[in-house]
Amino acid sequence: MFLGKVVGTVWSTKKTDNLENLRFLIINPINLKHKPFSDIVVAADVLGAGVGETVICAYGHAARQAICPANPTKLSIEAAVVGIVDRMDIPENESPET
Amino acid sequence: MFLGKVVGTVWSTKKTDNLENLRFLIINPINLKHKPFSDIVVAADVLGAGVGETVICAYGHAARQAICPANPTKLSIEAAVVGIVDRMDIPENESPET
Amino acid sequence: MFLGKVVGTVWSTKKTDNLENLRFLIINPINLKHKPFSDIVVAADVLGAGVGETVICAYGHAARQAICPANPTKLSIEAAVVGIVDRMDIPENESPET
Amino acid sequence: MFLGKVVGTVWSTKKTDNLENLRFLIINPINLKHKPFSDIVVAADVLGAGVGETVICAYGHAARQAICPANPTKLSIEAAVVGIVDRMDIPENESPET
Amino acid sequence: MFLGKVVGTVWSTKKTDNLENLRFLIINPINLKHKPFSDIVVAADVLGAGVGETVICAYGHAARQAICPANPTKLSIEAAVVGIVDRMDIPENESPET
């Protein structure tokens, strides 16, 4: 899984049928320096993550299992928010800058 | 999933049997700066995405489920257009430049 | 899927049993500038792609489905040539340089 | 699989139901120079790996199989600690610097 | 699949149960310039690959199928050596330097 910051939302009308009524967030992965870089990932979300929040995202089967546990294989997604981050504990002497 | 711009089409006559009659687009992934870089992904498309349009693409099982929901495991593809983007909403203070 | 140029062949005598009689090509992924970079991928091939040809390659289940549709899960490969490229159509004003 | 150093822990209250009671570590992948770089991966852990320890991590089905062997497909994770490293043996003349 | 050079071995006592008695190699992926870079992958090996040898490695299901064909889904690995390279044939005019 990776950590990212929610930076926006993307809308699509013409899409695969199995994606109806899903919410798609634009996620900006973050690293140990907490400086977002310019890469983005589109992730489905059913937890209600808002812009500016830090989230844990998962890829592949894990993502489908988070969005539709009753029938994950029917979904055409491969990234999803699986948790909204409350707190990160990174002891200073373990950071790459020290 | 990732966001990309459709930049072209690729044709292949000699190909895996299960890819007959599929349309393959050349997709240029985009980032938060909206500047396309030179990487490309080949994605199957059944939504009719055109050159210049921004699309959401998915990898793996999700891609096969988008192209052939009746029998996804029979397909030799691992990338597909799953949505054509209408609108992206990225509040300015969440962009990496500010 | 990705586009690549076939740059060579690799031989292995001591290998996983299920890979017997398979042909392994060394593929150099290409980007929109058509300049190959130095990364390589090893891909199985049953289409007869030759050195210098441009091919479409797929990863994972899609690759196994291309090489052995009768029993894909028995194979220890995760990359395969799924098409030999005849033509690419990339309108100039969609290239990242313009 | 990849080698990484455990650099911290991440907590999430609002998360996918199937992730309840799981521990999530922040892992910093390492390379042959043993210099951590700034990328991070979030991995589930049931082995009790501590901050500062070097671990082997696996992605995808392998990760779910490590965390919940009884029912791996029910989990929304795709990275897990699968081993805590005791020792690495890298003969000097095989290092990329020599 | 990718090509790599075996640069060492990694040992772990505290690990996922299904990894008992498996041998884990540290693999340094190589590119067309044959210059190893500093990235590493940990791969399971049952072929007896030795330090300094060039190998073909596979990820995911393909790796599990190579290590335990009788019951691949029970394994928590996602990378394995699937072949020891005897010979690579890369015609000079196909190299990226010319």
Side-chain angles (χ1 to χ4, degrees):
Chain A
M1 288 85 78
F2 67 93
L3 290 174
K5 191 181 172 191
V6 182
V7 293
T9 311
V10 60
W11 284 273
S12 168
T13 305
K14 206 169 194 172
K15 62 187 164 193
T16 299
D17 288 347
N18 64 60
L19 302 183
E20 284 302 323
N21 302 316
L22 277 178
R23 183 178 178 236
F24 291 101
L25 299 178
I26 301 175
I27 309 288
N28 194 200
I30 57 176
N31 60 27
L32 274 179
K33 295 176 180 169
H34 294 280
K35 291 182 188 145
F37 42 100
S38 63
D39 279 8
I40 49 176
V41 171
V42 175
D45 174 54
V46 292
L47 297 175
V51 167
E53 283 189 300
T54 299
V55 293
I56 305 173
C57 292
Y59 283 117
H61 171 81
R64 290 184 287 275
Q65 186 69 29
I67 300 300
C68 182
N71 198 353
T73 62
K74 289 296 175 192
L75 276 185
S76 283
I77 65 153
E78 39 79 335
V81 175
V82 298
I84 298 174
V85 171
D86 299 318
R87 190 159 63 90
M88 286 189 276
D89 182 12
I90 301 177
E92 281 221 0
N93 58 346
E94 301 300 334
S95 85
E97 280 90 351
T98 58
Chain B
M1 289 85 79
F2 67 92
L3 290 173
K5 191 181 172 192
V6 182
V7 293
T9 312
V10 59
W11 284 273
S12 167
T13 305
K14 205 170 195 171
K15 62 186 165 193
T16 299
D17 288 348
N18 64 60
L19 302 183
E20 285 302 323
N21 303 317
L22 277 179
R23 182 176 179 238
F24 291 100
L25 299 178
I26 302 174
I27 308 288
N28 193 200
I30 58 176
N31 60 26
L32 274 179
K33 295 176 181 169
H34 293 280
K35 291 182 188 147
F37 42 101
S38 64
D39 278 7
I40 50 177
V41 171
V42 175
D45 174 54
V46 293
L47 297 176
V51 166
E53 283 189 299
T54 298
V55 293
I56 304 173
C57 293
Y59 283 117
H61 170 81
R64 291 184 288 274
Q65 186 69 29
I67 300 300
C68 182
N71 198 352
T73 62
K74 289 297 175 193
L75 276 186
S76 283
I77 65 152
E78 39 80 336
V81 174
V82 298
I84 298 174
V85 172
D86 299 318
R87 190 160 63 91
M88 286 188 276
D89 181 13
I90 301 177
E92 282 220 0
N93 58 347
E94 300 301 334
S95 86
E97 279 90 352
T98 57
Chain C
M1 287 85 78
F2 67 93
L3 290 173
K5 192 181 171 191
V6 182
V7 294
T9 312
V10 59
W11 284 273
S12 167
T13 305
K14 204 168 195 172
K15 61 186 164 194
T16 300
D17 288 348
N18 64 60
L19 302 183
E20 284 302 322
N21 302 317
L22 276 178
R23 182 176 179 238
F24 291 101
L25 299 178
I26 302 174
I27 308 288
N28 194 200
I30 58 175
N31 60 27
L32 275 180
K33 295 176 179 168
H34 293 280
K35 291 181 187 148
F37 43 99
S38 63
D39 278 7
I40 49 177
V41 171
V42 175
D45 174 54
V46 292
L47 297 176
V51 167
E53 283 189 299
T54 299
V55 292
I56 303 173
C57 292
Y59 282 116
H61 171 81
R64 292 185 287 275
Q65 187 68 28
I67 300 299
C68 182
N71 199 352
T73 62
K74 289 297 174 192
L75 276 185
S76 284
I77 66 152
E78 38 79 336
V81 174
V82 299
I84 298 174
V85 172
D86 299 318
R87 190 160 63 91
M88 286 188 276
D89 182 12
I90 301 177
E92 281 221 0
N93 59 346
E94 300 301 334
S95 86
E97 279 91 351
T98 59
Chain D
M1 287 85 77
F2 68 92
L3 290 173
K5 192 181 172 191
V6 182
V7 293
T9 311
V10 60
W11 284 273
S12 168
T13 304
K14 204 168 195 173
K15 62 186 165 193
T16 299
D17 288 348
N18 64 59
L19 302 183
E20 284 302 322
N21 302 316
L22 276 178
R23 182 176 178 239
F24 292 101
L25 299 178
I26 301 174
I27 308 288
N28 194 201
I30 57 177
N31 60 26
L32 274 179
K33 295 177 178 168
H34 294 280
K35 290 182 189 147
F37 42 100
S38 63
D39 278 8
I40 49 177
V41 172
V42 175
D45 174 54
V46 293
L47 296 176
V51 167
E53 284 189 300
T54 299
V55 293
I56 304 172
C57 293
Y59 283 117
H61 171 80
R64 291 185 287 275
Q65 187 68 28
I67 299 300
C68 183
N71 198 352
T73 62
K74 289 297 175 192
L75 276 185
S76 284
I77 65 153
E78 38 81 336
V81 174
V82 298
I84 299 173
V85 172
D86 299 318
R87 190 159 64 89
M88 286 188 277
D89 182 12
I90 301 177
E92 282 221 359
N93 59 346
E94 301 300 336
S95 86
E97 280 90 352
T98 59
Chain E
M1 288 85 78
F2 67 92
L3 290 173
K5 191 181 173 191
V6 182
V7 293
T9 312
V10 59
W11 284 272
S12 167
T13 305
K14 204 169 195 171
K15 62 187 164 193
T16 299
D17 288 348
N18 64 59
L19 302 183
E20 284 303 323
N21 302 317
L22 277 179
R23 181 177 180 238
F24 291 100
L25 299 178
I26 301 174
I27 309 289
N28 194 200
I30 58 176
N31 59 26
L32 274 180
K33 295 177 179 169
H34 293 280
K35 290 182 188 147
F37 43 99
S38 63
D39 278 7
I40 49 177
V41 171
V42 174
D45 174 53
V46 292
L47 296 176
V51 167
E53 283 188 300
T54 299
V55 293
I56 304 172
C57 292
Y59 283 116
H61 171 80
R64 290 185 288 275
Q65 186 69 29
I67 300 300
C68 182
N71 198 352
T73 62
K74 289 297 174 192
L75 275 185
S76 283
I77 65 153
E78 38 80 335
V81 174
V82 298
I84 298 174
V85 172
D86 299 318
R87 191 159 63 90
M88 286 188 278
D89 182 12
I90 301 177
E92 282 221 1
N93 59 346
E94 300 301 334
S95 86
E97 280 89 351
T98 58

